[in-house]
Amino acid sequence: MSSSLSAKTTICAIIGNPVEYSLSPAMHNAGYAHLGLDYCYVGFQVAPTDVAPAVAGIRSLGIRGTSVTVPHKTAVIPYLDEIDPLAQRIGAVNTIVNTNGILKGHNTDWQGAILALEEKTSIAGKNVILLGAGGTTRAIGFGLIEKKAKTVTLLNRTPEKAQQLATELGAHYGHLTDLPKSLKNTDILINTTPVGMQDTINTSLVPKEHLHQGLTVLDAVYVPARTQLLQDAESAGANVIYGYRMLLWQGVVQFTLFTGVNQAPTEVMEKVLEKNSMRPHNSLIDDTTKKNYAESDR
Ligand code: ATR
């Protein structure tokens, strides 16, 4: 955020329901402050029935960049003027760029996952398993196909859902119980289910004896950062990628789209996420710990 807001300050925002725990405002504002940009990023809680007027507001108020989070990533699409072709195929928009009143929808979620993976491994020619068959699976699945993974296999609690998505992607599918036998020949394993967060914090869908060296494991869950799956993967000698890396890289791509700055201040943005992600979520801690964290943030 700029140190002196004025009528000329460019506004960016996140819309979602809820948005209060989003780390995006802190991440983007830290980047603006570091570069001295006259930008400010805020959060707007938007009810599902208010998506159309919210998008109209983005246009009429000249909000330059908008991040879109759950549950609005598909609902915003009909109200935009242009959609990036891959965002269209994914069927989800997490980023809106407003250029003189023309709103274009993008999807930076898939790029976030791909860039997080590419910090540690190449993707072309690799065998990949995705756990889940929801919206996150979908965005990452399209990204993996785009980057020429050799095989992509969706394993899900409800295999019919995996089958439907696999057909669209040109991927394989199966039930979670196929995991042990499939893992042997797998290079990259990605959890795109919510298992590992909040009430399943000590849980992993992957029996740890099947994790192995030579496997790269990414968990889309980012609070806590060291999920049970990633702890088990570390113990097995696998290559581990924290979920907040996805959040970082999708935000870095957004930062460039919103500001036109090609070299986003990645390290500054990373610090914000690391600090917030490496400690327990607000909903999981008592009031005294919350107060201590708030004081250490000043
Ligand atoms: P999003 O769209 O945000 O990625 P979602 O649509 O809620 O999330 O999808 C979550 C995925 O995680 C689903 O594939 C879901 O499995 P089902 O298709 O069987 O519902 C999976 N999932 C959620 N909770 C799970 C659990 N406790 N065990 C196994 N899979 C789970």
Side-chain angles (χ1 to χ4, degrees):
M1 187 170 59
S2 158
S3 55
S4 58
L5 299 175
S6 77
K8 292 185 191 159
T9 301
T10 301
I11 304 298
C12 294
I14 180 164
I15 60 170
N17 192 14
V19 287
E20 63 183 307
Y21 294 118
S22 170
L23 299 178
S24 290
M27 173 172 66
H28 283 268
N29 284 321
Y32 303 152
H34 183 76
L35 297 180
L37 297 176
D38 190 10
Y39 269 65
C40 176
Y41 186 114
V42 295
F44 293 122
Q45 176 147 335
V46 172
T49 47
D50 282 335
V51 171
V55 175
I58 290 169
R59 191 181 279 110
S60 60
L61 298 174
I63 294 171
R64 164 68 182 159
T66 307
S67 309
V68 182
T69 190
V70 178
H72 304 320
K73 290 184 188 186
T74 302
V76 294
I77 292 177
Y79 309 110
L80 304 178
D81 303 304
E82 296 171 16
I83 312 284
D84 167 80
L86 193 50
Q88 185 84 59
R89 284 176 60 212
I90 293 170
V93 157
N94 78 320
T95 306
I96 302 170
V97 179
N98 178 356
T99 307
N100 302 321
I102 307 293
L103 303 188
K104 180 166 180 179
H106 301 257
N107 188 305
T108 70
D109 284 333
W110 74 270
Q111 288 164 294
I114 295 300
L115 290 167
L117 285 168
E118 287 178 342
E119 286 186 274
K120 294 259 173 113
T121 178
S122 58
I123 295 166
K126 298 288 170 67
N127 295 314
V128 187
I129 290 182
L130 290 170
L131 304 180
T136 310
T137 328
R138 195 178 164 82
I140 299 178
F142 273 103
L144 292 166
I145 300 282
E146 182 85 2
K147 290 287 172 181
K148 312 253 181 297
K150 184 174 169 194
T151 62
V152 175
T153 305
L154 315 182
L155 300 183
N156 196 39
R157 179 176 63 179
T158 314
E160 298 75 32
K161 260 175 82 179
Q163 179 178 16
Q164 211 173 359
L165 180 54
T167 306
E168 262 189 82
L169 286 170
H172 304 274
Y173 70 94
H175 191 271
L176 286 175
T177 49
D178 299 333
L179 195 49
K181 76 169 179 328
S182 308
L183 263 178
K184 275 188 211 119
N185 301 317
T186 297
D187 303 298
I188 300 171
L189 171 69
I190 306 173
N191 174 43
T192 65
T193 77
V195 175
M197 64 191 284
Q198 291 176 342
D199 48 346
T200 54
I201 200 154
N202 295 318
T203 314
S204 163
L205 291 175
V206 187
K208 61 178 167 193
E209 61 276 18
H210 298 291
L211 294 163
H212 55 83
Q213 278 183 4
L215 187 67
T216 298
V217 184
L218 165 63
D219 199 334
V221 171
Y222 61 88
V223 179
R226 292 188 79 244
T227 56
Q228 188 63 51
L229 169 62
L230 294 186
Q231 289 178 46
D232 294 344
E234 252 167 9
S235 307
N239 213 359
V240 159
I241 304 173
Y242 294 118
Y244 76 83
R245 308 301 299 176
M246 286 173 49
L247 191 62
L248 169 67
W249 288 111
Q250 68 75 32
V252 165
V253 178
Q254 280 186 339
F255 192 96
T256 295
L257 286 169
F258 293 170
T259 64
V261 172
N262 275 326
Q263 293 283 323
T266 311
E267 283 172 20
V268 173
M269 296 166 77
E270 176 179 5
K271 271 203 189 101
V272 171
L273 294 187
E274 199 175 14
K275 188 166 89 176
N276 283 282
S277 185
M278 282 298 190
R279 66 196 195 193
H281 192 271
N282 257 348
S283 62
L284 297 173
I285 55 180
D286 60 39
D287 285 346
T288 312
T289 315
K290 241 181 250 181
K291 198 162 152 262
N292 290 341
Y293 280 151
E295 277 166 10
S296 73
D297 285 345
R298 283 204 192 114

